Amino acid sequence: MIWRSGALREQLDALRARFERSPGGPSASADEATERLEAAIDRHFAKQAATRVTADRLVGALDVIPQGIVLADAAGAIVFRNQTAASYLTARHGDALVGSLITELIVAAVRGESTTRTIEIFGPPRRSLQLRSVPLDDPDAAGAFLVIEDISERQRLEAVRRDFVANISHELKTPVGALGLLAETLLDEDDPAVAHRLTERMRREAFRVARTIDDLLQLSQIETSDAPEHELVGVDQLIGEAVDRTRPAAELRQVDLVVPPAPDGLAVVGDRRQLVSALANLCDNAVKYSDPHSKVELRARSSGPWAEIEVIDQGIGIPARDQERVFERFYRVDRARSRDTGGTGLGLAIVRHVVQNHDGEIAVSSREGDGSTFTLRLPIGPADPSHPEEPDA
Ligand SMILES: Nc1ncnc2c1ncn2[C@@H]1O[C@H](COP(=O)(O)OP(=O)(O)O)[C@@H](O)[C@H]1O
Ligand SMILES: [Mg+2]
């Protein structure tokens, strides 16, 4: 019995002693009353203990949520803060700024005002925090409630989305604008040779718009398909299909495509169309950013858990500072050159998404002027049953 250890026990014992000393000794009804009192006190303390357990659980739960929570009493004194809130207050750079803003918002909330404020913490890492305070006007528990939320990621995504829309508009407006101008010029042109040239340029611009739209559609399809097809794809077939797509461009640029045979039976599991598209994009770039008469090689091997395909060129290479960024949508090292060669700037973004969908990896190593190697790693699937032998170790 929980209460027996406390001061209440002494009081109850005193009460009992008084009954016993009373003339005629303890009566039955006094005994009964004491029993009832004891039971009521037991129930009270059991309820209090249960409330304490619930409160502990709530505090535990509040400690694991990513938002900071601060509670203040009616005088504005902090009576509770969860671990996230505590971490903002003790953060090396944040504490003074965040701390004074918390105080300010709590004071306002105690006065009855709800307030929302955003604060930049210069870090590192640089973060944006949003603080919201509301008054608590429950007569038994008046005070203030304050939530701190890290909105850096939300802001970053919003910026990416805005850039993306701006980029798309730009990428489409440029060729569409050119088409309009060319058509206008064509209207006044009598020389058939010039008219032919203008028409040829119009065809190229229209083709570019179409390619950009195609790539955008493909990218959005790949981004939204979180569960791609799961079929067994032999690495040699994969390379074969990608090379077939690239061959016309390679012949046009007189680039030699070298494809040693892939290890027998080496296979991956995934969406064949996505995988071929990713590898074809890598081959296409290798050819496009190579000089005539150079060589592009596709090598496949198994390496631990990975089926690894390297696309190696001897082309212009990628400066170190751009190597991370080339996988971003519309990022190009040299805009003019990419445009000349018909690039949309979306190829490597497609590659990155396909790789993510397949739990793979993509890496680039390159030296400016020396060529580039893109390495595509995909988890090895069960051996391709169309090949009798085991894959090479
Ligand atoms: N093999 C490569 N050699 C040199 N630069 C490359 C290579 N692959 C990609 N790049 C650079 O990365 C940029 C992005 O590639 P990608 O997304 O395929 O767009 P693009 O449509 O321009 O080919 C290219 O514009 C180019 O500057
Ligand atoms: Mg490309």
Side-chain angles (χ1 to χ4, degrees):
M1 277 196 263
I2 303 143
W3 59 269
R4 282 198 180 277
S5 55
L8 262 165
R9 183 196 167 168
E10 281 165 31
Q11 281 181 30
L12 201 62
D13 286 347
L15 201 63
R16 198 191 293 271
R18 261 195 21 224
F19 275 133
E20 271 158 13
R21 277 201 308 274
S22 67
S27 69
S29 69
D31 256 358
E32 232 171 68
T34 328
E35 290 288 315
R36 273 207 304 278
L37 191 59
E38 257 184 355
I41 292 172
D42 274 349
R43 276 200 305 278
H44 171 76
F45 278 97
K47 215 165 110 187
Q48 214 173 49
T51 310
R52 227 179 358 251
V53 169
T54 309
D56 284 350
R57 282 204 186 106
L58 273 174
V59 169
L62 287 178
D63 272 341
V64 295
I65 66 171
Q67 285 88 359
I69 304 276
V70 180
L71 276 171
D73 63 18
I78 292 181
V79 290
F80 172 78
R81 60 186 196 194
N82 71 349
Q83 258 171 29
T84 312
S87 77
Y88 288 131
L89 289 168
T90 51
R92 199 154 39 98
H93 298 285
D95 64 336
L97 284 174
V98 181
S100 59
L101 191 57
I102 287 177
T103 312
E104 193 185 317
L105 263 61
I106 283 177
V107 168
V110 167
R111 275 203 313 264
E113 293 164 28
S114 300
T115 320
T116 301
R117 291 271 283 278
T118 303
I119 183 174
E120 300 288 325
I121 311 234
F122 292 99
R126 199 193 169 109
R127 283 179 307 175
S128 299
L129 301 182
Q130 189 179 67
L131 282 77
R132 274 176 295 151
S133 70
V134 285
L136 298 175
D137 41 20
D138 184 331
D140 289 333
F145 177 65
L146 183 131
V147 183
I148 310 168
E149 195 170 0
D150 188 337
I151 54 167
S152 326
E153 183 61 11
R154 209 199 304 158
Q155 283 184 335
R156 192 188 65 79
L157 288 175
E158 179 54 24
V160 167
R161 192 195 61 78
R162 262 201 316 268
D163 285 356
F164 186 47
V165 173
N167 277 332
I168 291 178
S169 315
H170 175 80
E171 295 292 331
L172 295 178
K173 242 169 89 179
T174 312
V176 169
L179 272 172
L181 280 177
L182 287 164
E184 257 173 45
T185 323
L186 191 59
L187 275 176
D188 300 326
E189 189 53 65
D190 298 325
D191 182 345
V194 178
H196 183 82
R197 260 208 328 272
L198 292 172
T199 318
E200 178 52 34
R201 276 208 50 198
M202 286 177 75
R203 198 186 63 82
R204 274 216 313 269
E205 296 295 343
F207 187 64
R208 220 177 90 205
V209 179
R211 272 198 54 165
T212 303
I213 293 171
D214 276 351
D215 278 2
L216 277 171
L217 286 175
Q218 201 191 352
L219 187 62
S220 103
Q221 248 168 26
I222 288 170
E223 274 178 344
T224 47
S225 86
D226 42 354
E229 291 287 317
H230 282 288
E231 53 180 318
L232 194 62
V233 186
V235 168
D236 55 349
Q237 287 165 17
L238 183 60
I239 293 179
E241 285 186 40
V243 165
D244 282 347
R245 280 204 206 172
T246 319
R247 190 153 278 133
E251 277 167 10
L252 213 64
R253 288 187 67 80
Q254 295 177 290
V255 169
D256 197 11
L257 279 175
V258 181
V259 189
D264 255 335
L266 185 61
V268 296
V269 174
D271 186 310
R272 170 190 296 269
R273 274 184 41 200
Q274 285 192 16
L275 292 169
V276 169
S277 160
L279 191 57
N281 265 304
L282 294 177
C283 291
D284 181 60
N285 284 346
V287 168
K288 204 160 68 176
Y289 300 108
S290 283
D291 294 323
H293 307 294
S294 62
K295 173 175 98 166
V296 166
E297 192 174 343
L298 272 91
R299 278 193 221 145
R301 61 159 171 265
S302 65
S303 163
W306 301 113
E308 219 172 67
I309 306 174
E310 284 177 323
V311 182
I312 309 157
D313 68 54
Q314 304 167 325
I316 58 173
I318 304 171
R321 63 173 181 281
D322 296 307
Q323 287 176 13
E324 271 288 310
R325 302 204 58 193
V326 289
F327 295 96
E328 292 171 18
R329 297 178 280 204
F330 295 118
Y331 190 86
R332 302 160 170 119
V333 177
D334 179 351
R335 257 195 139 67
R337 185 182 168 122
S338 165
R339 186 151 297 147
D340 282 350
T341 48
T344 63
L346 293 170
L348 289 181
I350 291 175
V351 173
R352 189 180 60 180
H353 274 287
V354 171
V355 167
Q356 274 170 6
N357 282 355
H358 288 82
D359 299 320
E361 288 178 4
I362 177 76
V364 56
S365 88
S366 179
R367 276 245 307 272
E368 230 180 324
D370 268 358
S372 313
T373 297
F374 281 82
T375 307
L376 177 64
R377 292 192 193 95
L378 297 163
I380 290 189
D384 186 348
S386 62
H387 288 261
E389 288 164 54
E390 288 291 297
D392 288 357

